Amino acid sequence: MRKKYTHLFFDLDNTLWDFKTNSKCAMQETFNSLGLAQKGVAFDDFFEIYTKHNAELWTAYRKKEVSKKELTHQRFQFTFDSLAINGVDALAMNDLYLREMPKQSHLIEGAKEILDYVKSKTYRLFIITNGFREVQHEKLKQSGLQSYFEKVFISEEIKMPKPSREIFEYAIKSSNAKKKNSLMIGDDWEVDICGAANFGIDAVYYNRLKQPVEKLMGDTNVIESLSELRLFL
């Protein structure tokens, strides 16, 4: 039997907002602005190495092993070190990148269509996202997503990132939601789906990369396109 959900909680990056595409576009603009090609560095090499360091540092950040300042500095400094780039300030590049990032507005295919659909069905919509407040709010505004959501819960503001129970608990209580009537939709198995399941709310795993799923946690369903979300609502 289909459950009666009232509150839908969406992840933002790579669930609705195309982080993979937008981040690469923003980095290309930043790379060009700083003239890094003139230092004999290929953009694709730079972006590949940066992406690796960034992912590792975000994992450490979620575990509270590094601070925001350390993350934003080291992800560029480690990239510079790996490529023997000198004469570029890591924090200055980070600031420029973060200014460029929200200007990008590519959305995941079907994002607005599914949001229009669930909005028409009178579901209450919210965002739970890991990220920096100054960037996440601007992403929503510039991409035209802001008007769909009543509240946006950002890990930096709450001081607790997904997959911790605290951010889910805060979002549920702040939305006057009941756990049994709440559904989390996200693309990250550990951060979105395991986090929601461990807190005790249902989830839909947006498996857009079609990764193998060995064992589902709690009441979790899997979709490979956002349009499939209709099947569970």
Side-chain angles (χ1 to χ4, degrees), residues 54 64 70-71 82 94 98 122 154 181 194 199:
N54 187 54
K64 298 185 179 299
E70 289 171 325
L71 186 160
S82 298
N94 180 77
L98 291 185
T122 69
I154 300 175
N181 299 127
C194 295
F199 178 61

Side-chain angles (χ1 to χ4, degrees), residues 73-125:
H73 178 267
Q74 290 175 3
R75 61 185 180 178
F76 285 102
Q77 189 59 57
F78 289 173
T79 305
F80 296 160
D81 293 344
S82 298
L83 293 168
I85 296 173
N86 298 309
V88 184
D89 183 84
L91 285 178
M93 186 166 188
N94 180 77
D95 290 345
L96 182 56
Y97 172 64
L98 291 185
R99 288 198 297 272
E100 288 293 336
M101 178 80 88
K103 297 177 184 177
Q104 314 304 317
S105 56
H106 294 90
L107 299 178
I108 296 294
E109 183 178 356
K112 283 201 170 181
E113 289 80 1
I114 195 62
L115 291 175
D116 285 334
Y117 173 78
V118 294
K119 196 79 169 177
S120 73
K121 298 295 183 181
T122 69
Y123 291 101
R124 298 182 63 187
L125 308 183

Side-chain angles (χ1 to χ4, degrees), residues 186-202:
D187 75 296
D188 190 302
W189 178 256
E190 178 186 354
V191 172
D192 298 315
I193 307 309
C194 295
N198 288 333
F199 178 61
I201 60 176
D202 294 350

Side-chain angles (χ1 to χ4, degrees), residues 61-64 130 155 159-165 167:
Y61 179 71
R62 287 196 296 269
K63 295 178 180 178
K64 298 185 179 299
N130 286 347
S155 61
K159 303 189 187 307
M160 193 61 65
K162 293 180 292 183
S164 63
R165 289 178 54 89
I167 192 169

